[in-house]
Every structure is written in C-alpha cells, then in structure tokens.
C-alpha cells in the first residue's frame, strides 16, 4: 500500500506511545484469535516490555501493528472494536470524573489529555457549532486520518464515554470522518447514527450540549 508507506516515512521518529494503547490493541488481536506474538514481532515490538507501564514505544510500530491486525482480519472496522475496549478500560477514570463533575461542561474542562494517557498520537479538542459541541480528533500526523483505524477508535471511545456519562443522555447528532466513505457503513451507523459525512477536514462527533 503506497499511501501506508508514505505515512510511515513522514512520522517523526521521536514520537512514541505508552504501552497502554498497544496492550488495548493486543487484547483485541488475541480475542480475534490472531497470532499476537507474530504480529508484535512483525511490528517491531517486544511482548516482554509491554508490561512496563511507563515504557514508551515508537509510534510507527503502533500504527504498523494496527495495519497488520486489520490485514489479518480483513476487517476495516477494527478501529471501532478497539474503541469499544478503550472505552471499557477507561471506566474507572470516567466513574471518578462523573463524581466530581456536576455538568457536561465540567467534564469537557477536565477531559483527560490523550497526550498524557497515550503518547504522541493526537488530541481530542472541544469546539462549539451553534447549539452543538464538536469533539474533534486532531492527530499529530494528519495523514493518518486517511486510514480509519485511529479515527474510528478515538470516536468510538468518545461516543461510549459521552453517551453514558450524564444523567440526561448526550446524543450524537452527527459524525464527520476524514477518510473516504467505505462501501459498508453499517457498523459506523450502529455507533454514530445515520448522519455521517466523509472526506471531511476533521474526524469529529457533534453532540447535544447539556447544561
């Protein structure tokens, strides 16, 4: 895949990720019955080092592992599966914030930094669009948005968090994606609804704002 090779070459070699997002992806890989050790080796990762929480790994290897898993499963929706696990593994943080935050706005102000939690991948930022709140995924490497994996993971995890956080449900009104429209968008519609737009400047969720 020429586009994948180009993305790899453009990634800053100094960018790294923590073990946590790799372990989340690894959990999905194992649940899908894939040879996790073989995929880790192909991605240039050592399984014995993934137990060290503050160990950092080249972000290039993380992207490669995602691509290898998608190729092995022939599943373009794998980012949505990983996003579900990301959401579930972060429930302890969400439950704590649900106790200390009194409103949706409070949570947005205290929203954990993805740079701190994951490493040099990107950041979720909050914006206003009229009466809606836009949660925008801003990858450090914009070219990665042309591939679905990370965008889908971050938006699926965010949808899980925000639609379950408040007493009054926060609804996903629409979703934008930077990549081209896939042939089958049914899994995207199951998570984000039917109001989807593709080939957009950013991958974003647009949510109803609650006081």
């Amino acid at each position: 895949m020429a586009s994948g090779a180009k993305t790899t070459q453009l990634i800053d070699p100094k960018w790294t990720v923590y073990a946590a997002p790799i372990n989340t992806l690894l959990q999905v890989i194992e649940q899908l019955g894939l040879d996790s050790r073989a995929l880790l080796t192909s991605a240039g990762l050592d399984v014995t080092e993934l137990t060290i929480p503050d160990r950092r790994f080249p972000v290039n290897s993380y992207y490669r592992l995602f691509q290898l898993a998608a190729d092995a499963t022939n599943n373009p929706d794998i980012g949505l599966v990983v996003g579900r696990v990301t959401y579930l593994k972060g429930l302890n943080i969400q439950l704590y914030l649900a106790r200390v935050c009194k409103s949706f706005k409070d949570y947005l102000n205290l929203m954990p930094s993805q740079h701190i939690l994951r490493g040099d991948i990107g950041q979720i930022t909050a914006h206003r669009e009229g009466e809606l709140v836009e949660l925008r995924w801003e990858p450090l490497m914009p070219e990665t948005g042309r591939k679905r994996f990370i965008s889908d993971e971050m938006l699926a995890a965010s949808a899980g968090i925000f639609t379950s956080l408040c007493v009054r449900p926060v609804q996903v009104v629409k979703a934008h994606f930077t990549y081209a429209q896939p042939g089958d968008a049914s899994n995207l519609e199951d998570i984000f609804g039917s109001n989807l737009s593709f080939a957009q400047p950013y991958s974003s969720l647009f949510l109803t704002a609650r006081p």
Side-chain angles (χ1 to χ4, degrees), residues 20-21 23-25 27-28 31-32 62 66 75 77-92 94 118 148-165 187-188 190-192 205:
N23 282 323
T24 298
L25 178 53
Q27 183 176 347
V28 172
Q31 286 294 316
L32 294 175
Y62 174 59
F66 233 132
N75 180 7
D77 293 316
I78 191 170
L80 300 176
V81 181
V82 178
R84 172 69 176 171
V85 178
T86 298
Y87 156 61
L88 292 173
K89 292 181 76 168
L91 281 176
N92 58 329
Q94 309 312 324
R118 299 168 65 87
R148 293 182 52 182
F149 314 133
I150 308 298
S151 295
D152 280 1
E153 178 192 353
M154 297 309 302
L155 265 60
S158 296
I161 292 167
F162 286 99
T163 57
S164 63
L165 186 66
N187 288 330
L188 292 169
D190 287 343
I191 296 174
F192 306 114
L205 296 182

Side-chain angles (χ1 to χ4, degrees), residues 1 3 13 39 57 65 71 84 113 134 145 153 170 201 207:
M1 295 184 178
S3 61
L39 291 181
F57 303 85
L65 183 62
D71 291 344
R84 172 69 176 171
S113 166
E134 176 192 359
E153 178 192 353
V170 177
L207 310 172

Side-chain angles (χ1 to χ4, degrees), residues 94-136:
Q94 309 312 324
L95 290 172
Y96 167 74
L97 290 174
R99 289 198 301 269
V100 301
C101 297
K102 298 187 181 301
S103 68
F104 184 40
K105 182 179 179 180
D106 287 346
Y107 184 87
L108 292 176
N109 290 332
L110 293 175
M111 191 164 54
S113 166
Q114 294 302 311
H115 287 305
I116 294 174
L117 294 177
R118 299 168 65 87
D120 302 321
I121 301 175
Q123 187 64 283
I124 294 281
T125 59
H127 306 266
R128 275 280 187 178
E129 187 191 77
E131 296 300 315
L132 301 179
V133 172
E134 176 192 359
L135 295 180
R136 179 186 298 172

